[in-house]
Amino acid sequence: MLKESAGGTPSVLLVDGMALLFRAYFASAYSGFVKRNRDGLPVNAIHGFLRYLGDAVRKIKPTHLVCCWDLGGGSFRMQHFPQYKGNRPEAPDDLIPQFELIKTVTEHFGIVNVSCEGYEADDCIGTLARRFAAETDVYVLTGDHDLLQLVDDRITVVIMKKGHGNYAVYTPAYLMEERQMKPAQIVDLKGLMGDASDNYPGVKGIGEKTALKLILEHDSIDGILENLANLPASVRKKIEADLDMLHLSRQLATIHCEAPLSIELSECLWMADRDKITSICERVEFRDALRWIG
C-alpha cells in the first residue's frame, strides 16, 4: 500500500469527474484519432483523465480523494425548467463506453466515486465541500466556473486551463483580485445574464457586461431589486418584464449543498494499492502509472 500523500496538514481533493473526462476526450480526439486498447475499446479520455488528475494530485498532495459524477437521469433542476441543459449535443460514440470504465479505473486507484440520483456532480461537490471544510482544507478540481460560488477560507477551487498542469487557483482573495467579486455574486451574475451552456436565459436583453455592472454597483440581485427606481429606464423595464425568470435562473445557478450523501471524510482517505493500479493500467494500456505510484 502506498503511504498517504505527504502534504503536511490533511486535505481533500474533490474532483469534477465529467469535467475532467470530457476535457480529456476532446483534447485528444480533435484530430479525429481516438486511442484504443488491444481489445478495440476507446481509452483516450481515460488516459487524459489520469494525466490531468495525476498532475493535480502531485501539486496539491491531498490525503483524501473523491471523484463526483453526474448520473444519466438528469437533476431536480429539470423539474423546475424542463429546457435545462436541453441544448447539449449527445456525447461522442467513442466517449460513451469510457463513462463506466473510468469509474472502475478510479476505484482501482483507491479513489472514492460519488453520485446522487436527482442531483448533479456540482451538488455532490458542494455538499461534500461544505461538510468536509469543517474538518480540513478542501480543494475542488474542475473546469466549471460555476463552482467558484463555493470558494471560502477553507475551500479552494482549482480551475483547469489549457495544457496539463496549468491552473487558476481561486481563493476568496484571488476571486476578488481577478473579478472584483465575492463567491455568492457568481450565482447572482448567472441569474441576471443566464447561462447558454446550461440553457437558461436569465433576464432577456441583459448580457454579461450589464449584469456585472449591476452586481458590482448593488452587490446582489436583492440589492438591484431594492434599487429598481434608480436604474436606467431600459434596464429597469427588462428586469421588471422578466422577474420570474430572474428568480428561476438564480435558483438554477445555485449549487445545492445539502444533497443526501452519507459519506464521511474518513471514508475518503486515499490509500492506493500498487498492484491494483498496475493491473488496471495494463487493462487500459496506460503507460504512465509511475505518475501515480512512483
Side-chain angles (χ1 to χ4, degrees), residues 192 203-206 210-211 213-214 218 224 228 230-242:
L192 281 165
V203 175
K204 186 177 181 180
I206 292 186
T210 300
K213 183 174 185 293
L214 289 170
H218 301 285
I224 293 166
L228 272 179
N230 300 320
L231 299 182
S234 61
V235 174
R236 183 176 69 250
K237 288 178 181 178
K238 290 174 182 175
I239 293 175
E240 289 175 338
D242 240 351

PDB file of all heavy atoms in Angstrom, residues 192 203-206 210-211 213-214 218 224 228 230-242:
ATOM      1  N   LEU A 192     -28.830  36.935 -13.582  1.00  0.00           N
ATOM      2  CA  LEU A 192     -29.118  38.066 -14.464  1.00  0.00           C
ATOM      3  C   LEU A 192     -28.852  37.754 -15.933  1.00  0.00           C
ATOM      4  O   LEU A 192     -29.678  38.027 -16.801  1.00  0.00           O
ATOM      5  CB  LEU A 192     -28.282  39.277 -14.044  1.00  0.00           C
ATOM      6  CG  LEU A 192     -28.771  40.070 -12.839  1.00  0.00           C
ATOM      7  CD1 LEU A 192     -27.671  40.992 -12.336  1.00  0.00           C
ATOM      8  CD2 LEU A 192     -30.013  40.879 -13.204  1.00  0.00           C
ATOM      9  N   VAL A 203     -32.299  37.291 -17.551  1.00  0.00           N
ATOM     10  CA  VAL A 203     -33.171  38.392 -17.964  1.00  0.00           C
ATOM     11  C   VAL A 203     -32.901  38.709 -19.432  1.00  0.00           C
ATOM     12  O   VAL A 203     -31.768  39.019 -19.811  1.00  0.00           O
ATOM     13  CB  VAL A 203     -32.937  39.648 -17.103  1.00  0.00           C
ATOM     14  CG1 VAL A 203     -33.764  40.826 -17.618  1.00  0.00           C
ATOM     15  CG2 VAL A 203     -33.266  39.353 -15.644  1.00  0.00           C
ATOM     16  N   LYS A 204     -33.923  38.616 -20.242  1.00  0.00           N
ATOM     17  CA  LYS A 204     -33.777  38.868 -21.666  1.00  0.00           C
ATOM     18  C   LYS A 204     -33.243  40.278 -21.919  1.00  0.00           C
ATOM     19  O   LYS A 204     -33.765  41.255 -21.379  1.00  0.00           O
ATOM     20  CB  LYS A 204     -35.128  38.693 -22.373  1.00  0.00           C
ATOM     21  CG  LYS A 204     -35.046  38.792 -23.891  1.00  0.00           C
ATOM     22  CD  LYS A 204     -36.407  38.524 -24.521  1.00  0.00           C
ATOM     23  CE  LYS A 204     -36.323  38.609 -26.046  1.00  0.00           C
ATOM     24  NZ  LYS A 204     -37.648  38.350 -26.670  1.00  0.00           N
ATOM     25  N   GLY A 205     -32.177  40.355 -22.711  1.00  0.00           N
ATOM     26  CA  GLY A 205     -31.612  41.650 -23.067  1.00  0.00           C
ATOM     27  C   GLY A 205     -30.495  42.119 -22.160  1.00  0.00           C
ATOM     28  O   GLY A 205     -29.875  43.152 -22.422  1.00  0.00           O
ATOM     29  N   ILE A 206     -30.200  41.371 -21.080  1.00  0.00           N
ATOM     30  CA  ILE A 206     -29.099  41.726 -20.188  1.00  0.00           C
ATOM     31  C   ILE A 206     -27.963  40.726 -20.376  1.00  0.00           C
ATOM     32  O   ILE A 206     -28.113  39.536 -20.087  1.00  0.00           O
ATOM     33  CB  ILE A 206     -29.545  41.776 -18.724  1.00  0.00           C
ATOM     34  CG1 ILE A 206     -30.496  42.956 -18.515  1.00  0.00           C
ATOM     35  CG2 ILE A 206     -28.342  41.896 -17.782  1.00  0.00           C
ATOM     36  CD1 ILE A 206     -30.894  43.197 -17.089  1.00  0.00           C
ATOM     37  N   THR A 210     -23.515  44.189 -18.690  1.00  0.00           N
ATOM     38  CA  THR A 210     -24.519  44.898 -17.893  1.00  0.00           C
ATOM     39  C   THR A 210     -24.761  44.192 -16.569  1.00  0.00           C
ATOM     40  O   THR A 210     -24.880  44.834 -15.515  1.00  0.00           O
ATOM     41  CB  THR A 210     -25.840  45.017 -18.668  1.00  0.00           C
ATOM     42  OG1 THR A 210     -25.614  45.730 -19.875  1.00  0.00           O
ATOM     43  CG2 THR A 210     -26.895  45.747 -17.842  1.00  0.00           C
ATOM     44  N   ALA A 211     -24.820  42.858 -16.594  1.00  0.00           N
ATOM     45  CA  ALA A 211     -25.050  42.097 -15.365  1.00  0.00           C
ATOM     46  C   ALA A 211     -23.930  42.342 -14.360  1.00  0.00           C
ATOM     47  O   ALA A 211     -24.189  42.556 -13.164  1.00  0.00           O
ATOM     48  CB  ALA A 211     -25.162  40.612 -15.690  1.00  0.00           C
ATOM     49  N   LYS A 213     -21.922  44.920 -14.180  1.00  0.00           N
ATOM     50  CA  LYS A 213     -22.003  46.306 -13.714  1.00  0.00           C
ATOM     51  C   LYS A 213     -23.064  46.441 -12.609  1.00  0.00           C
ATOM     52  O   LYS A 213     -22.831  47.094 -11.578  1.00  0.00           O
ATOM     53  CB  LYS A 213     -22.331  47.236 -14.882  1.00  0.00           C
ATOM     54  CG  LYS A 213     -22.379  48.727 -14.552  1.00  0.00           C
ATOM     55  CD  LYS A 213     -22.578  49.539 -15.821  1.00  0.00           C
ATOM     56  CE  LYS A 213     -22.517  51.031 -15.538  1.00  0.00           C
ATOM     57  NZ  LYS A 213     -23.655  51.505 -14.718  1.00  0.00           N
ATOM     58  N   LEU A 214     -24.206  45.814 -12.822  1.00  0.00           N
ATOM     59  CA  LEU A 214     -25.280  45.887 -11.833  1.00  0.00           C
ATOM     60  C   LEU A 214     -24.891  45.213 -10.522  1.00  0.00           C
ATOM     61  O   LEU A 214     -25.160  45.739  -9.433  1.00  0.00           O
ATOM     62  CB  LEU A 214     -26.545  45.233 -12.395  1.00  0.00           C
ATOM     63  CG  LEU A 214     -27.258  45.982 -13.518  1.00  0.00           C
ATOM     64  CD1 LEU A 214     -28.336  45.100 -14.147  1.00  0.00           C
ATOM     65  CD2 LEU A 214     -27.873  47.282 -12.996  1.00  0.00           C
ATOM     66  N   HIS A 218     -24.612  47.142  -6.980  1.00  0.00           N
ATOM     67  CA  HIS A 218     -25.682  46.903  -5.999  1.00  0.00           C
ATOM     68  C   HIS A 218     -25.474  45.645  -5.171  1.00  0.00           C
ATOM     69  O   HIS A 218     -26.357  45.284  -4.389  1.00  0.00           O
ATOM     70  CB  HIS A 218     -27.027  46.855  -6.723  1.00  0.00           C
ATOM     71  CG  HIS A 218     -27.347  48.110  -7.477  1.00  0.00           C
ATOM     72  ND1 HIS A 218     -27.758  49.273  -6.855  1.00  0.00           N
ATOM     73  CD2 HIS A 218     -27.283  48.391  -8.813  1.00  0.00           C
ATOM     74  CE1 HIS A 218     -27.966  50.220  -7.768  1.00  0.00           C
ATOM     75  NE2 HIS A 218     -27.685  49.712  -8.963  1.00  0.00           N
ATOM     76  N   ILE A 224     -30.234  44.958  -6.273  1.00  0.00           N
ATOM     77  CA  ILE A 224     -30.713  45.540  -7.532  1.00  0.00           C
ATOM     78  C   ILE A 224     -32.212  45.787  -7.466  1.00  0.00           C
ATOM     79  O   ILE A 224     -32.706  46.858  -7.834  1.00  0.00           O
ATOM     80  CB  ILE A 224     -30.361  44.616  -8.716  1.00  0.00           C
ATOM     81  CG1 ILE A 224     -28.847  44.565  -8.920  1.00  0.00           C
ATOM     82  CG2 ILE A 224     -31.052  45.079  -9.999  1.00  0.00           C
ATOM     83  CD1 ILE A 224     -28.394  43.448  -9.831  1.00  0.00           C
ATOM     84  N   LEU A 228     -34.533  49.385  -7.946  1.00  0.00           N
ATOM     85  CA  LEU A 228     -35.052  49.418  -9.315  1.00  0.00           C
ATOM     86  C   LEU A 228     -35.366  50.831  -9.787  1.00  0.00           C
ATOM     87  O   LEU A 228     -35.096  51.186 -10.946  1.00  0.00           O
ATOM     88  CB  LEU A 228     -36.323  48.565  -9.408  1.00  0.00           C
ATOM     89  CG  LEU A 228     -36.148  47.074  -9.707  1.00  0.00           C
ATOM     90  CD1 LEU A 228     -37.503  46.386  -9.731  1.00  0.00           C
ATOM     91  CD2 LEU A 228     -35.419  46.868 -11.024  1.00  0.00           C
ATOM     92  N   ASN A 230     -33.922  53.468  -9.272  1.00  0.00           N
ATOM     93  CA  ASN A 230     -32.728  54.256  -9.587  1.00  0.00           C
ATOM     94  C   ASN A 230     -31.978  53.746 -10.811  1.00  0.00           C
ATOM     95  O   ASN A 230     -30.971  54.346 -11.207  1.00  0.00           O
ATOM     96  CB  ASN A 230     -31.774  54.258  -8.391  1.00  0.00           C
ATOM     97  CG  ASN A 230     -32.407  54.854  -7.149  1.00  0.00           C
ATOM     98  OD1 ASN A 230     -33.133  55.843  -7.247  1.00  0.00           O
ATOM     99  ND2 ASN A 230     -32.149  54.254  -5.997  1.00  0.00           N
ATOM    100  N   LEU A 231     -32.445  52.647 -11.391  1.00  0.00           N
ATOM    101  CA  LEU A 231     -31.780  52.088 -12.564  1.00  0.00           C
ATOM    102  C   LEU A 231     -32.204  52.838 -13.819  1.00  0.00           C
ATOM    103  O   LEU A 231     -33.283  53.434 -13.867  1.00  0.00           O
ATOM    104  CB  LEU A 231     -32.137  50.607 -12.716  1.00  0.00           C
ATOM    105  CG  LEU A 231     -31.752  49.654 -11.572  1.00  0.00           C
ATOM    106  CD1 LEU A 231     -32.141  48.232 -11.943  1.00  0.00           C
ATOM    107  CD2 LEU A 231     -30.276  49.747 -11.249  1.00  0.00           C
ATOM    108  N   PRO A 232     -31.366  52.784 -14.870  1.00  0.00           N
ATOM    109  CA  PRO A 232     -31.803  53.345 -16.155  1.00  0.00           C
ATOM    110  C   PRO A 232     -33.121  52.705 -16.578  1.00  0.00           C
ATOM    111  O   PRO A 232     -33.342  51.511 -16.368  1.00  0.00           O
ATOM    112  CB  PRO A 232     -30.661  52.967 -17.102  1.00  0.00           C
ATOM    113  CG  PRO A 232     -29.466  52.806 -16.216  1.00  0.00           C
ATOM    114  CD  PRO A 232     -29.987  52.257 -14.920  1.00  0.00           C
ATOM    115  N   ALA A 233     -33.990  53.482 -17.190  1.00  0.00           N
ATOM    116  CA  ALA A 233     -35.329  53.005 -17.520  1.00  0.00           C
ATOM    117  C   ALA A 233     -35.305  51.743 -18.364  1.00  0.00           C
ATOM    118  O   ALA A 233     -36.105  50.818 -18.152  1.00  0.00           O
ATOM    119  CB  ALA A 233     -36.103  54.107 -18.238  1.00  0.00           C
ATOM    120  N   SER A 234     -34.395  51.667 -19.332  1.00  0.00           N
ATOM    121  CA  SER A 234     -34.357  50.495 -20.216  1.00  0.00           C
ATOM    122  C   SER A 234     -33.994  49.232 -19.447  1.00  0.00           C
ATOM    123  O   SER A 234     -34.554  48.156 -19.696  1.00  0.00           O
ATOM    124  CB  SER A 234     -33.350  50.728 -21.351  1.00  0.00           C
ATOM    125  OG  SER A 234     -32.041  50.912 -20.824  1.00  0.00           O
ATOM    126  N   VAL A 235     -33.053  49.344 -18.498  1.00  0.00           N
ATOM    127  CA  VAL A 235     -32.649  48.190 -17.690  1.00  0.00           C
ATOM    128  C   VAL A 235     -33.768  47.801 -16.745  1.00  0.00           C
ATOM    129  O   VAL A 235     -34.079  46.610 -16.573  1.00  0.00           O
ATOM    130  CB  VAL A 235     -31.358  48.505 -16.908  1.00  0.00           C
ATOM    131  CG1 VAL A 235     -31.025  47.362 -15.958  1.00  0.00           C
ATOM    132  CG2 VAL A 235     -30.202  48.756 -17.868  1.00  0.00           C
ATOM    133  N   ARG A 236     -34.404  48.796 -16.121  1.00  0.00           N
ATOM    134  CA  ARG A 236     -35.492  48.520 -15.184  1.00  0.00           C
ATOM    135  C   ARG A 236     -36.625  47.770 -15.873  1.00  0.00           C
ATOM    136  O   ARG A 236     -37.162  46.802 -15.336  1.00  0.00           O
ATOM    137  CB  ARG A 236     -36.010  49.828 -14.591  1.00  0.00           C
ATOM    138  CG  ARG A 236     -37.121  49.598 -13.545  1.00  0.00           C
ATOM    139  CD  ARG A 236     -37.574  50.886 -12.891  1.00  0.00           C
ATOM    140  NE  ARG A 236     -38.292  51.749 -13.840  1.00  0.00           N
ATOM    141  CZ  ARG A 236     -37.831  52.888 -14.317  1.00  0.00           C
ATOM    142  NH1 ARG A 236     -36.626  53.334 -13.952  1.00  0.00           N
ATOM    143  NH2 ARG A 236     -38.553  53.614 -15.163  1.00  0.00           N
ATOM    144  N   LYS A 237     -36.976  48.190 -17.066  1.00  0.00           N
ATOM    145  CA  LYS A 237     -38.075  47.557 -17.786  1.00  0.00           C
ATOM    146  C   LYS A 237     -37.749  46.096 -18.119  1.00  0.00           C
ATOM    147  O   LYS A 237     -38.618  45.220 -18.034  1.00  0.00           O
ATOM    148  CB  LYS A 237     -38.380  48.336 -19.064  1.00  0.00           C
ATOM    149  CG  LYS A 237     -39.048  49.682 -18.808  1.00  0.00           C
ATOM    150  CD  LYS A 237     -39.276  50.434 -20.105  1.00  0.00           C
ATOM    151  CE  LYS A 237     -39.917  51.800 -19.847  1.00  0.00           C
ATOM    152  NZ  LYS A 237     -40.097  52.567 -21.109  1.00  0.00           N
ATOM    153  N   LYS A 238     -36.502  45.821 -18.488  1.00  0.00           N
ATOM    154  CA  LYS A 238     -36.110  44.446 -18.807  1.00  0.00           C
ATOM    155  C   LYS A 238     -36.234  43.550 -17.583  1.00  0.00           C
ATOM    156  O   LYS A 238     -36.724  42.420 -17.659  1.00  0.00           O
ATOM    157  CB  LYS A 238     -34.679  44.429 -19.344  1.00  0.00           C
ATOM    158  CG  LYS A 238     -34.526  45.042 -20.725  1.00  0.00           C
ATOM    159  CD  LYS A 238     -33.055  45.132 -21.120  1.00  0.00           C
ATOM    160  CE  LYS A 238     -32.905  45.803 -22.480  1.00  0.00           C
ATOM    161  NZ  LYS A 238     -31.488  46.014 -22.867  1.00  0.00           N
ATOM    162  N   ILE A 239     -35.789  44.066 -16.443  1.00  0.00           N
ATOM    163  CA  ILE A 239     -35.854  43.270 -15.216  1.00  0.00           C
ATOM    164  C   ILE A 239     -37.301  43.062 -14.785  1.00  0.00           C
ATOM    165  O   ILE A 239     -37.706  41.946 -14.432  1.00  0.00           O
ATOM    166  CB  ILE A 239     -35.036  43.949 -14.097  1.00  0.00           C
ATOM    167  CG1 ILE A 239     -33.536  43.909 -14.453  1.00  0.00           C
ATOM    168  CG2 ILE A 239     -35.280  43.273 -12.760  1.00  0.00           C
ATOM    169  CD1 ILE A 239     -32.645  44.656 -13.488  1.00  0.00           C
ATOM    170  N   GLU A 240     -38.091  44.114 -14.820  1.00  0.00           N
ATOM    171  CA  GLU A 240     -39.491  44.006 -14.407  1.00  0.00           C
ATOM    172  C   GLU A 240     -40.271  43.048 -15.301  1.00  0.00           C
ATOM    173  O   GLU A 240     -41.171  42.342 -14.837  1.00  0.00           O
ATOM    174  CB  GLU A 240     -40.142  45.389 -14.412  1.00  0.00           C
ATOM    175  CG  GLU A 240     -39.641  46.303 -13.290  1.00  0.00           C
ATOM    176  CD  GLU A 240     -40.209  47.708 -13.381  1.00  0.00           C
ATOM    177  OE1 GLU A 240     -40.636  48.109 -14.497  1.00  0.00           O
ATOM    178  OE2 GLU A 240     -40.210  48.412 -12.362  1.00  0.00           O
ATOM    179  N   ALA A 241     -39.909  43.003 -16.572  1.00  0.00           N
ATOM    180  CA  ALA A 241     -40.613  42.127 -17.514  1.00  0.00           C
ATOM    181  C   ALA A 241     -40.208  40.663 -17.351  1.00  0.00           C
ATOM    182  O   ALA A 241     -40.900  39.768 -17.854  1.00  0.00           O
ATOM    183  CB  ALA A 241     -40.337  42.585 -18.947  1.00  0.00           C
ATOM    184  N   ASP A 242     -39.112  40.400 -16.652  1.00  0.00           N
ATOM    185  CA  ASP A 242     -38.581  39.040 -16.567  1.00  0.00           C
ATOM    186  C   ASP A 242     -38.282  38.630 -15.127  1.00  0.00           C
ATOM    187  O   ASP A 242     -37.374  37.835 -14.883  1.00  0.00           O
ATOM    188  CB  ASP A 242     -37.298  38.942 -17.405  1.00  0.00           C
ATOM    189  CG  ASP A 242     -37.413  37.912 -18.528  1.00  0.00           C
ATOM    190  OD1 ASP A 242     -38.406  37.173 -18.536  1.00  0.00           O
ATOM    191  OD2 ASP A 242     -36.517  37.860 -19.381  1.00  0.00           O
TER     192      ASP A 242
END
